mmCIF file of all heavy atoms in Angstrom:
data_model
loop_
_atom_site.group_PDB
_atom_site.id
_atom_site.type_symbol
_atom_site.label_atom_id
_atom_site.label_comp_id
_atom_site.label_asym_id
_atom_site.label_seq_id
_atom_site.Cartn_x
_atom_site.Cartn_y
_atom_site.Cartn_z
ATOM 1 N N LYS A 1 105.798 81.885 80.529
ATOM 2 C CA LYS A 1 105.109 80.511 80.591
ATOM 3 C C LYS A 1 104.222 80.421 81.779
ATOM 4 O O LYS A 1 104.439 81.098 82.865
ATOM 5 C CB LYS A 1 106.145 79.389 80.556
ATOM 6 C CG LYS A 1 106.989 79.192 81.761
ATOM 7 C CD LYS A 1 107.951 78.003 81.655
ATOM 8 C CE LYS A 1 108.713 77.764 82.936
ATOM 9 N NZ LYS A 1 109.704 76.598 82.757
ATOM 10 N N PRO A 2 103.206 79.612 81.702
ATOM 11 C CA PRO A 2 102.328 79.433 82.870
ATOM 12 C C PRO A 2 103.092 79.019 84.098
ATOM 13 O O PRO A 2 103.998 78.195 84.025
ATOM 14 C CB PRO A 2 101.384 78.327 82.359
ATOM 15 C CG PRO A 2 101.389 78.358 80.869
ATOM 16 C CD PRO A 2 102.785 78.838 80.536
ATOM 17 N N TRP A 3 102.573 79.465 85.269
ATOM 18 C CA TRP A 3 103.281 79.125 86.514
ATOM 19 C C TRP A 3 103.225 77.653 86.716
ATOM 20 O O TRP A 3 104.060 77.078 87.436
ATOM 21 C CB TRP A 3 102.569 79.925 87.640
ATOM 22 C CG TRP A 3 102.900 81.355 87.583
ATOM 23 C CD1 TRP A 3 103.643 82.048 86.679
ATOM 24 C CD2 TRP A 3 102.416 82.403 88.471
ATOM 25 N NE1 TRP A 3 103.609 83.444 86.963
ATOM 26 C CE2 TRP A 3 102.855 83.628 88.071
ATOM 27 C CE3 TRP A 3 101.563 82.319 89.608
ATOM 28 C CZ2 TRP A 3 102.573 84.862 88.769
ATOM 29 C CZ3 TRP A 3 101.291 83.511 90.322
ATOM 30 C CH2 TRP A 3 101.789 84.747 89.845
ATOM 31 N N SER A 4 102.176 77.019 86.220
ATOM 32 C CA SER A 4 101.932 75.576 86.532
ATOM 33 C C SER A 4 103.023 74.740 85.816
ATOM 34 O O SER A 4 103.205 73.568 86.076
ATOM 35 C CB SER A 4 100.594 75.111 85.992
ATOM 36 O OG SER A 4 100.352 75.391 84.607
ATOM 37 N N LYS A 5 103.802 75.363 84.912
ATOM 38 C CA LYS A 5 104.810 74.585 84.132
ATOM 39 C C LYS A 5 106.146 74.548 84.935
ATOM 40 O O LYS A 5 107.101 73.860 84.468
ATOM 41 C CB LYS A 5 105.073 75.246 82.782
ATOM 42 C CG LYS A 5 103.858 75.223 81.857
ATOM 43 C CD LYS A 5 103.356 73.870 81.502
ATOM 44 C CE LYS A 5 102.210 73.909 80.553
ATOM 45 N NZ LYS A 5 101.744 72.558 80.241
ATOM 46 N N TYR A 6 106.171 75.240 86.073
ATOM 47 C CA TYR A 6 107.384 75.220 86.912
ATOM 48 C C TYR A 6 107.254 74.084 87.895
ATOM 49 O O TYR A 6 106.134 73.663 88.267
ATOM 50 C CB TYR A 6 107.592 76.492 87.699
ATOM 51 C CG TYR A 6 107.980 77.685 86.880
ATOM 52 C CD1 TYR A 6 107.009 78.491 86.233
ATOM 53 C CD2 TYR A 6 109.282 78.133 86.844
ATOM 54 C CE1 TYR A 6 107.361 79.549 85.437
ATOM 55 C CE2 TYR A 6 109.650 79.223 86.083
ATOM 56 C CZ TYR A 6 108.702 79.964 85.399
ATOM 57 O OH TYR A 6 109.036 81.062 84.695
ATOM 58 N N ASP A 7 108.316 73.534 88.255
ATOM 59 C CA ASP A 7 108.312 72.444 89.329
ATOM 60 C C ASP A 7 107.815 73.058 90.597
ATOM 61 O O ASP A 7 107.081 72.289 91.370
ATOM 62 C CB ASP A 7 109.683 71.874 89.562
ATOM 63 C CG ASP A 7 110.212 70.986 88.325
ATOM 64 O OD1 ASP A 7 109.261 70.610 87.577
ATOM 65 O OD2 ASP A 7 111.351 70.911 88.171
ATOM 66 N N LYS A 8 108.145 74.240 90.854
ATOM 67 C CA LYS A 8 107.801 74.936 92.087
ATOM 68 C C LYS A 8 107.619 76.343 91.843
ATOM 69 O O LYS A 8 108.468 77.024 91.232
ATOM 70 C CB LYS A 8 108.831 74.656 93.197
ATOM 71 C CG LYS A 8 108.518 75.454 94.582
ATOM 72 C CD LYS A 8 107.308 74.759 95.225
ATOM 73 C CE LYS A 8 107.536 73.434 95.755
ATOM 74 N NZ LYS A 8 106.375 72.837 96.484
ATOM 75 N N VAL A 9 106.557 77.029 92.371
ATOM 76 C CA VAL A 9 106.312 78.436 92.351
ATOM 77 C C VAL A 9 106.146 78.944 93.679
ATOM 78 O O VAL A 9 105.573 78.241 94.646
ATOM 79 C CB VAL A 9 105.077 78.783 91.495
ATOM 80 C CG1 VAL A 9 104.674 80.271 91.662
ATOM 81 C CG2 VAL A 9 105.207 78.460 90.010
ATOM 82 N N LYS A 10 106.737 80.076 94.124
ATOM 83 C CA LYS A 10 106.737 80.599 95.495
ATOM 84 C C LYS A 10 106.131 81.945 95.528
ATOM 85 O O LYS A 10 106.214 82.767 94.586
ATOM 86 C CB LYS A 10 108.219 80.542 95.889
ATOM 87 C CG LYS A 10 108.981 79.262 95.856
ATOM 88 C CD LYS A 10 110.492 79.501 96.067
ATOM 89 C CE LYS A 10 111.231 78.233 95.719
ATOM 90 N NZ LYS A 10 112.641 78.491 95.702
ATOM 91 N N PHE A 11 105.595 82.217 96.699
ATOM 92 C CA PHE A 11 105.087 83.623 97.078
ATOM 93 C C PHE A 11 105.634 84.028 98.349
ATOM 94 O O PHE A 11 105.887 83.244 99.251
ATOM 95 C CB PHE A 11 103.552 83.545 97.170
ATOM 96 C CG PHE A 11 102.807 84.296 96.063
ATOM 97 C CD1 PHE A 11 102.941 83.863 94.669
ATOM 98 C CD2 PHE A 11 102.008 85.379 96.289
ATOM 99 C CE1 PHE A 11 102.306 84.485 93.681
ATOM 100 C CE2 PHE A 11 101.317 86.006 95.241
ATOM 101 C CZ PHE A 11 101.395 85.571 93.980
ATOM 102 N N LEU A 12 105.938 85.373 98.439
ATOM 103 C CA LEU A 12 106.332 85.966 99.750
ATOM 104 C C LEU A 12 105.101 86.400 100.505
ATOM 105 O O LEU A 12 104.207 86.938 99.920
ATOM 106 C CB LEU A 12 107.253 87.094 99.397
ATOM 107 C CG LEU A 12 108.481 86.862 98.581
ATOM 108 C CD1 LEU A 12 109.400 88.075 98.493
ATOM 109 C CD2 LEU A 12 109.329 85.667 99.154
ATOM 110 N N CYS A 13 105.111 86.109 101.823
ATOM 111 C CA CYS A 13 103.951 86.247 102.627
ATOM 112 C C CYS A 13 104.325 87.160 103.881
ATOM 113 O O CYS A 13 104.860 86.549 104.850
ATOM 114 C CB CYS A 13 103.321 85.027 102.987
ATOM 115 S SG CYS A 13 102.808 84.003 101.645
ATOM 116 N N PRO A 14 104.159 88.490 103.933
ATOM 117 C CA PRO A 14 104.414 89.203 105.084
ATOM 118 C C PRO A 14 103.518 88.690 106.248
ATOM 119 O O PRO A 14 102.307 88.427 106.078
ATOM 120 C CB PRO A 14 104.055 90.647 104.804
ATOM 121 C CG PRO A 14 104.219 90.682 103.222
ATOM 122 C CD PRO A 14 103.821 89.375 102.796
ATOM 123 N N VAL A 15 104.189 88.398 107.435
ATOM 124 C CA VAL A 15 103.457 87.869 108.561
ATOM 125 C C VAL A 15 103.607 88.655 109.837
ATOM 126 O O VAL A 15 104.649 89.314 110.045
ATOM 127 C CB VAL A 15 103.852 86.340 108.852
ATOM 128 C CG1 VAL A 15 103.463 85.454 107.619
ATOM 129 C CG2 VAL A 15 105.443 86.300 109.056
ATOM 130 N N PRO A 16 102.510 88.674 110.617
ATOM 131 C CA PRO A 16 101.218 88.101 110.427
ATOM 132 C C PRO A 16 100.472 88.676 109.281
ATOM 133 O O PRO A 16 100.664 89.896 108.997
ATOM 134 C CB PRO A 16 100.523 88.248 111.809
ATOM 135 C CG PRO A 16 101.173 89.551 112.394
ATOM 136 C CD PRO A 16 102.545 89.465 111.931
ATOM 137 N N GLY A 17 99.676 87.848 108.683
ATOM 138 C CA GLY A 17 98.974 88.336 107.476
ATOM 139 C C GLY A 17 97.565 87.797 107.365
ATOM 140 O O GLY A 17 97.014 87.261 108.264
ATOM 141 N N TYR A 18 96.998 87.846 106.180
ATOM 142 C CA TYR A 18 95.583 87.495 105.912
ATOM 143 C C TYR A 18 95.438 86.029 105.545
ATOM 144 O O TYR A 18 96.076 85.628 104.481
ATOM 145 C CB TYR A 18 95.033 88.503 104.784
ATOM 146 C CG TYR A 18 93.635 88.386 104.412
ATOM 147 C CD1 TYR A 18 92.673 87.898 105.314
ATOM 148 C CD2 TYR A 18 93.290 88.683 103.049
ATOM 149 C CE1 TYR A 18 91.292 87.793 104.918
ATOM 150 C CE2 TYR A 18 91.906 88.515 102.716
ATOM 151 C CZ TYR A 18 90.926 88.061 103.651
ATOM 152 O OH TYR A 18 89.679 87.922 103.223
ATOM 153 N N ASP A 19 94.736 85.306 106.260
ATOM 154 C CA ASP A 19 94.635 83.849 106.010
ATOM 155 C C ASP A 19 94.053 83.534 104.666
ATOM 156 O O ASP A 19 94.388 82.534 104.119
ATOM 157 C CB ASP A 19 93.751 83.276 107.168
ATOM 158 C CG ASP A 19 92.381 83.831 107.374
ATOM 159 O OD1 ASP A 19 92.168 85.005 106.941
ATOM 160 O OD2 ASP A 19 91.491 83.239 108.001
ATOM 161 N N ARG A 20 93.132 84.324 104.142
ATOM 162 C CA ARG A 20 92.514 83.920 102.840
ATOM 163 C C ARG A 20 93.582 84.171 101.645
ATOM 164 O O ARG A 20 93.475 83.424 100.632
ATOM 165 C CB ARG A 20 91.315 84.805 102.568
ATOM 166 C CG ARG A 20 90.179 84.441 103.582
ATOM 167 C CD ARG A 20 88.841 84.949 103.157
ATOM 168 N NE ARG A 20 87.820 84.823 104.171
ATOM 169 C CZ ARG A 20 87.079 83.712 104.343
ATOM 170 N NH1 ARG A 20 87.300 82.659 103.497
ATOM 171 N NH2 ARG A 20 86.169 83.632 105.240
ATOM 172 N N HIS A 21 94.528 85.065 101.819
ATOM 173 C CA HIS A 21 95.630 85.074 100.842
ATOM 174 C C HIS A 21 96.387 83.708 100.889
ATOM 175 O O HIS A 21 96.651 83.137 99.808
ATOM 176 C CB HIS A 21 96.629 86.224 101.279
ATOM 177 C CG HIS A 21 96.127 87.579 101.022
ATOM 178 N ND1 HIS A 21 96.713 88.701 101.556
ATOM 179 C CD2 HIS A 21 95.082 88.006 100.277
ATOM 180 C CE1 HIS A 21 96.136 89.757 101.168
ATOM 181 N NE2 HIS A 21 95.105 89.408 100.358
ATOM 182 N N PHE A 22 96.693 83.345 102.101
ATOM 183 C CA PHE A 22 97.482 82.076 102.197
ATOM 184 C C PHE A 22 96.599 80.865 101.675
ATOM 185 O O PHE A 22 97.228 79.915 101.069
ATOM 186 C CB PHE A 22 97.819 81.813 103.631
ATOM 187 C CG PHE A 22 98.523 83.007 104.343
ATOM 188 C CD1 PHE A 22 98.334 83.212 105.644
ATOM 189 C CD2 PHE A 22 99.293 83.842 103.598
ATOM 190 C CE1 PHE A 22 99.040 84.273 106.279
ATOM 191 C CE2 PHE A 22 99.903 84.889 104.221
ATOM 192 C CZ PHE A 22 99.738 85.202 105.594
ATOM 193 N N ALA A 23 95.284 80.860 101.851
ATOM 194 C CA ALA A 23 94.481 79.825 101.366
ATOM 195 C C ALA A 23 94.503 79.701 99.847
ATOM 196 O O ALA A 23 94.485 78.621 99.258
ATOM 197 C CB ALA A 23 93.078 79.998 101.839
ATOM 198 N N ILE A 24 94.623 80.821 99.153
ATOM 199 C CA ILE A 24 94.672 80.878 97.672
ATOM 200 C C ILE A 24 95.974 80.130 97.298
ATOM 201 O O ILE A 24 96.033 79.311 96.332
ATOM 202 C CB ILE A 24 94.691 82.232 97.101
ATOM 203 C CG1 ILE A 24 93.249 82.843 97.340
ATOM 204 C CG2 ILE A 24 95.024 82.263 95.587
ATOM 205 C CD1 ILE A 24 93.186 84.351 96.797
ATOM 206 N N CYS A 25 97.108 80.424 97.983
ATOM 207 C CA CYS A 25 98.384 79.818 97.608
ATOM 208 C C CYS A 25 98.284 78.320 97.870
ATOM 209 O O CYS A 25 98.787 77.511 96.917
ATOM 210 C CB CYS A 25 99.506 80.387 98.419
ATOM 211 S SG CYS A 25 100.101 82.032 97.779
ATOM 212 N N GLU A 26 97.716 77.860 98.950
ATOM 213 C CA GLU A 26 97.598 76.516 99.251
ATOM 214 C C GLU A 26 96.736 75.764 98.143
ATOM 215 O O GLU A 26 97.036 74.684 97.732
ATOM 216 C CB GLU A 26 96.988 76.319 100.596
ATOM 217 C CG GLU A 26 97.881 76.497 101.779
ATOM 218 C CD GLU A 26 97.495 75.759 103.032
ATOM 219 O OE1 GLU A 26 97.721 74.522 103.132
ATOM 220 O OE2 GLU A 26 96.981 76.471 103.929
ATOM 221 N N GLU A 27 95.669 76.487 97.723
ATOM 222 C CA GLU A 27 94.748 75.860 96.725
ATOM 223 C C GLU A 27 95.525 75.549 95.421
ATOM 224 O O GLU A 27 95.308 74.478 94.794
ATOM 225 C CB GLU A 27 93.648 76.923 96.381
ATOM 226 C CG GLU A 27 92.743 76.541 95.342
ATOM 227 C CD GLU A 27 91.520 75.658 95.757
ATOM 228 O OE1 GLU A 27 91.605 75.098 96.828
ATOM 229 O OE2 GLU A 27 90.542 75.573 94.946
ATOM 230 N N PHE A 28 96.486 76.383 95.047
ATOM 231 C CA PHE A 28 97.255 76.202 93.848
ATOM 232 C C PHE A 28 98.665 75.580 94.027
ATOM 233 O O PHE A 28 99.307 75.416 93.053
ATOM 234 C CB PHE A 28 97.391 77.505 93.034
ATOM 235 C CG PHE A 28 96.110 78.106 92.525
ATOM 236 C CD1 PHE A 28 95.359 79.020 93.124
ATOM 237 C CD2 PHE A 28 95.679 77.550 91.299
ATOM 238 C CE1 PHE A 28 94.186 79.432 92.577
ATOM 239 C CE2 PHE A 28 94.427 77.956 90.725
ATOM 240 C CZ PHE A 28 93.740 78.938 91.417
ATOM 241 N N GLY A 29 98.906 75.047 95.302
ATOM 242 C CA GLY A 29 100.144 74.481 95.540
ATOM 243 C C GLY A 29 101.374 75.362 95.369
ATOM 244 O O GLY A 29 102.469 74.947 95.149
ATOM 245 N N ILE A 30 101.130 76.651 95.752
ATOM 246 C CA ILE A 30 102.232 77.697 95.719
ATOM 247 C C ILE A 30 102.886 77.633 97.092
ATOM 248 O O ILE A 30 102.272 77.822 98.056
ATOM 249 C CB ILE A 30 101.671 79.092 95.414
ATOM 250 C CG1 ILE A 30 101.094 79.090 93.946
ATOM 251 C CG2 ILE A 30 102.746 80.147 95.500
ATOM 252 C CD1 ILE A 30 100.367 80.314 93.611
ATOM 253 N N GLU A 31 104.178 77.602 97.010
ATOM 254 C CA GLU A 31 105.078 77.503 98.241
ATOM 255 C C GLU A 31 105.111 78.938 98.857
ATOM 256 O O GLU A 31 105.331 79.900 98.142
ATOM 257 C CB GLU A 31 106.463 76.979 98.021
ATOM 258 C CG GLU A 31 107.275 76.960 99.238
ATOM 259 C CD GLU A 31 108.752 76.458 98.972
ATOM 260 O OE1 GLU A 31 108.843 75.597 98.109
ATOM 261 O OE2 GLU A 31 109.622 77.048 99.600
ATOM 262 N N MET A 32 104.838 78.998 100.155
ATOM 263 C CA MET A 32 104.847 80.347 100.826
ATOM 264 C C MET A 32 106.074 80.540 101.743
ATOM 265 O O MET A 32 106.461 79.591 102.405
ATOM 266 C CB MET A 32 103.566 80.464 101.670
ATOM 267 C CG MET A 32 102.241 80.586 100.764
ATOM 268 S SD MET A 32 100.791 80.662 101.820
ATOM 269 C CE MET A 32 100.393 78.916 102.115
ATOM 270 N N ILE A 33 106.646 81.748 101.656
ATOM 271 C CA ILE A 33 107.799 82.071 102.424
ATOM 272 C C ILE A 33 107.431 83.265 103.357
ATOM 273 O O ILE A 33 107.064 84.355 102.840
ATOM 274 C CB ILE A 33 108.972 82.521 101.486
ATOM 275 C CG1 ILE A 33 109.300 81.404 100.505
ATOM 276 C CG2 ILE A 33 110.198 82.979 102.313
ATOM 277 C CD1 ILE A 33 110.298 81.784 99.409
ATOM 278 N N ASN A 34 107.599 83.055 104.661
ATOM 279 C CA ASN A 34 107.429 84.070 105.576
ATOM 280 C C ASN A 34 108.315 85.288 105.441
ATOM 281 O O ASN A 34 109.512 85.059 105.369
ATOM 282 C CB ASN A 34 107.342 83.523 107.057
ATOM 283 C CG ASN A 34 106.332 82.558 107.335
ATOM 284 O OD1 ASN A 34 105.514 82.214 106.532
ATOM 285 N ND2 ASN A 34 106.311 82.103 108.602
ATOM 286 N N ILE A 35 107.776 86.434 105.530
ATOM 287 C CA ILE A 35 108.515 87.731 105.558
ATOM 288 C C ILE A 35 108.115 88.485 106.814
ATOM 289 O O ILE A 35 106.957 88.784 106.989
ATOM 290 C CB ILE A 35 108.246 88.522 104.295
ATOM 291 C CG1 ILE A 35 108.660 87.847 103.053
ATOM 292 C CG2 ILE A 35 109.033 89.873 104.428
ATOM 293 C CD1 ILE A 35 110.094 87.471 102.866
ATOM 294 N N ALA A 36 109.062 88.801 107.641
ATOM 295 C CA ALA A 36 108.765 89.501 108.897
ATOM 296 C C ALA A 36 108.257 90.926 108.559
ATOM 297 O O ALA A 36 108.621 91.531 107.614
ATOM 298 C CB ALA A 36 109.976 89.630 109.735
ATOM 299 N N MET A 37 107.423 91.435 109.525
ATOM 300 C CA MET A 37 106.890 92.793 109.439
ATOM 301 C C MET A 37 107.353 93.577 110.673
ATOM 302 O O MET A 37 107.546 93.125 111.737
ATOM 303 C CB MET A 37 105.369 92.756 109.470
ATOM 304 C CG MET A 37 104.689 92.158 108.218
ATOM 305 S SD MET A 37 104.261 93.405 107.093
ATOM 306 C CE MET A 37 102.775 94.103 107.790
ATOM 307 N N ASP A 38 107.554 94.836 110.382
ATOM 308 C CA ASP A 38 107.709 95.794 111.540
ATOM 309 C C ASP A 38 106.849 97.006 111.345
ATOM 310 O O ASP A 38 105.912 96.954 110.467
ATOM 311 C CB ASP A 38 109.199 96.204 111.674
ATOM 312 C CG ASP A 38 109.799 96.903 110.428
ATOM 313 O OD1 ASP A 38 109.048 97.580 109.743
ATOM 314 O OD2 ASP A 38 110.972 96.924 110.345
ATOM 315 N N SER A 39 107.052 98.141 112.024
ATOM 316 C CA SER A 39 106.140 99.241 111.924
ATOM 317 C C SER A 39 106.216 99.991 110.655
ATOM 318 O O SER A 39 105.277 100.858 110.388
ATOM 319 C CB SER A 39 106.543 100.225 113.073
ATOM 320 O OG SER A 39 107.844 100.727 112.977
#
């Protein structure tokens, strides 16, 4: 089913990361969850 039919849709976001990826999520109201990065 379309993601818009869910009450909430989430994306995992490795951080630090690319701001334009995050902007797309914000545009569509997708909740973002920080994921730590290492080497």
Side-chain angles (χ1 to χ4, degrees):
K1 71 179 182 180
W3 293 359
S4 61
K5 300 298 183 182
Y6 289 84
D7 291 335
K8 179 68 68 176
V9 170
K10 304 167 190 171
F11 250 63
L12 304 182
C13 300
V15 292
Y18 182 30
D19 53 341
R20 295 192 186 275
H21 288 163
F22 308 150
I24 292 175
C25 283
E26 283 202 76
E27 175 88 342
F28 287 99
I30 296 171
E31 180 182 324
M32 292 178 275
I33 301 170
N34 290 3
I35 300 294
M37 290 267 285
D38 63 22
S39 61

